[in-house]
């Protein structure tokens, strides 16, 4: 922690260790796993979106539909009707 005037600056790693424990503890490992899983999923969606946009620029007619936004098959069918 660093203090400048009346303000205290805390490194993000310090906050993680304080609230979740050090790397290797069950709570921290679960947090790290969830973060990594979420980042991978979001990156996949973003990558697909940019691939579709790039194909449009090249003249292909593709549509990007982020499937995770549909709770179930019925909501997907409602989207298309």
């Amino acid at each position: 922690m660093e203090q400048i005037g009346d303000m205290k600056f805390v490194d993000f790693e310090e906050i993680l260790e304080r609230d979740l424990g050090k790397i290797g503890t069950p709570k921290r490992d679960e947090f790290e796993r969830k973060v990594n899983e979420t980042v991978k999923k979001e990156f996949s969606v973003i990558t697909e979106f940019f691939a579709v946009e790039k194909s449009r620029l090249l003249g292909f007619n593709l549509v990007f539909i982020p499937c995770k936004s549909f709770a179930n098959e019925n909501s997907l069918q409602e989207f298309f009707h």
Side-chain angles (χ1 to χ4, degrees):
M1 179 172 56
E2 180 182 347
Q3 184 160 347
I4 300 175
D6 293 337
M7 296 174 34
K8 295 179 182 177
F9 294 90
V10 181
D11 185 81
F12 185 63
E13 187 65 31
E14 289 180 57
I15 294 171
L16 289 175
E17 285 186 11
R18 182 190 69 204
D19 294 345
L20 300 171
K22 294 186 182 255
I23 293 175
T25 59
K27 191 174 181 182
R28 176 71 178 269
D29 286 348
E30 178 66 14
F31 172 79
E32 298 284 343
R33 185 191 63 74
K34 286 180 180 179
V35 167
N36 289 334
E37 186 178 285
T38 301
V39 168
K40 284 180 186 177
K41 285 180 185 177
E42 294 302 319
F43 183 75
S44 173
V45 171
I46 291 168
T47 302
E48 184 179 344
F49 173 77
F50 280 112
V52 169
E53 289 303 308
K54 182 178 179 181
S55 69
R56 283 188 187 158
L57 291 173
L58 296 174
F60 297 101
N61 189 17
L62 298 177
V63 177
F64 174 72
I65 302 173
C67 295
K68 72 176 192 171
S69 66
F70 299 105
N72 56 45
E73 187 177 321
N74 292 336
S75 61
L76 183 60
Q77 290 173 353
E78 290 170 7
F79 175 78
F80 286 107
H81 289 89

